[in-house]
């Protein structure tokens, strides 16, 4: 996909990866709309990116997630792409994770991204794309992360099925399955503490990979993005 001039919504824009991606897209000439939970961070990012449209949402409010897509479509006079960077980490043995925490992980990591992208599918034209960040845990299924992994895997498999559905329409569906990123994400887990992990890639390296996937998306919707390694 050609980035310059593309109209792109980034939900989760106030996170480390989301904000860095928004700045990169702005620098490359994209017309972006930013959406996030942190009001102050959202205002700062919108200003840094040239006073772009911004909107606050709560990932637990799925109707607001879907409405944010409609808002961005109107604000940008169309949408060429939606790139979801929403997510929350959680750690602990399965028997130690409460049902309430498990529900939170599934809602934020799977249902909210699905709500954004489901709303985007009728609006994105041929050659456009929808994408979401999943993670290498989908492939590794590590111990001590069962509920977190399950939530990310649910999104990954949903994206895989939607990709097949969108082939005829020519919309790219990308699973941005990033390796571990040194973004502080694991330290902000909703439950538990992260295990010892090898040093991961930097935020800018992760954004490089996302940009490569976006730019590699073919106009006929045939590109799959950086998935299994």
């Amino acid at each position: 996909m050609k980035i310059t001039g593309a109209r792109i919504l980034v939900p989760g824009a106030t996170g480390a990866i989301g904000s860095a991606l928004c700045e990169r897209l702005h620098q490359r000439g994209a017309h972006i709309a930013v959406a996030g939970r942190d009001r102050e961070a959202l205002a700062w990012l919108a200003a840094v990116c040239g006073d772009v449209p911004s909107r606050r949402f709560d990932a637990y409010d799925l109707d607001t997630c879907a409405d944010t897509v409609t808002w961005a479509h109107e604000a940008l006079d169309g949408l060429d792409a939606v790139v979801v960077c929403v997510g929350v980490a959680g750690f602990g043995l399965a028997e130690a994770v409460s049902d309430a925490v498990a529900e939170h992980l599934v809602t934020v990591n799977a249902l909210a991204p699905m709500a954004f992208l489901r709303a985007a599918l009728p609006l994105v034209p041929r050659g456009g794309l929808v994408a979401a960040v999943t993670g290498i845990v989908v492939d590794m299924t590590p111990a001590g992360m069962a509920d977190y992994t399950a939530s990310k895997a649910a999104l990954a498999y949903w994206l895989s099925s939607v990709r097949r559905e969108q082939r005829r329409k020519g919309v790219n569906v990308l699973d941005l399955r990033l390796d571990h990123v040194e973004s502080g994400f694991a330290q902000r887990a909703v439950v538990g503490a992260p295990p010892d992990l090898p040093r991961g890639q930097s935020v800018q390296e992760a954004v490089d990979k996302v940009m490569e996937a976006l730019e590699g998306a073919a106009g006929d919707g045939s590109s799959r993005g950086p998935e299994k390694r």
Side-chain angles (χ1 to χ4, degrees):
M1 186 183 78
K2 183 180 179 182
I3 298 298
T4 302
R7 300 160 296 181
I8 304 174
L9 166 65
V10 182
T14 55
I17 294 175
S19 61
L21 175 62
C22 287
E23 290 188 60
R24 185 80 63 86
L25 289 169
H26 172 65
Q27 291 165 3
R28 292 289 303 277
H31 303 300
I32 65 172
V34 297
R37 185 181 63 174
D38 186 321
R39 194 181 305 276
E40 291 184 3
L42 194 61
W44 176 85
L45 180 64
V48 166
C49 293
D51 294 322
V52 298
S54 65
R55 191 175 199 245
R56 187 177 180 276
F57 73 91
D58 187 329
Y60 229 73
D61 185 343
L62 301 182
D63 288 338
T64 299
C65 294
D67 291 344
T68 297
V69 177
T70 303
W71 160 82
H73 186 266
E74 295 175 354
L76 298 176
D77 194 24
L79 269 180
D80 298 303
V82 176
V83 184
V84 181
C85 300
V86 174
V88 63
F91 305 101
L93 298 178
E95 65 263 31
V97 175
S98 71
D99 290 336
V101 168
E103 180 186 33
H104 182 77
L105 290 168
V106 171
T107 300
V108 175
N109 292 334
L111 297 180
M114 290 176 192
F116 279 112
L117 300 185
R118 195 190 317 276
L121 290 172
L123 303 177
V124 173
R126 174 175 291 274
L129 66 86
V130 297
V133 174
T134 58
I136 197 171
V137 293
V138 175
D139 300 317
M140 296 179 62
T141 60
M145 303 185 198
D147 290 275
Y148 173 57
T149 298
S151 66
K152 287 294 190 178
L155 177 58
Y157 281 99
W158 185 86
L159 290 167
S160 182
S161 292
V162 173
R163 182 181 305 111
R164 292 185 175 94
E165 295 173 359
Q166 292 296 308
R167 281 175 180 162
R168 183 171 297 179
K169 183 182 174 183
V171 171
N172 296 278
V173 180
L174 305 185
D175 177 346
L176 304 171
R177 199 169 297 184
L178 298 176
D179 292 325
H180 173 55
V181 182
E182 296 291 341
S183 64
F185 176 75
Q187 285 68 40
R188 296 187 293 273
V190 68
V191 66
D196 290 333
L197 297 168
R199 184 165 183 81
Q201 62 188 326
S202 69
V203 169
Q204 291 304 322
E205 288 172 329
V207 171
D208 288 343
K209 292 184 178 180
V210 172
M211 291 294 292
E212 181 181 356
L214 300 183
E215 293 179 300
D220 60 358
S222 63
S223 180
R224 294 171 62 104
E227 298 184 18
K228 295 182 181 180
R229 309 224 179 260

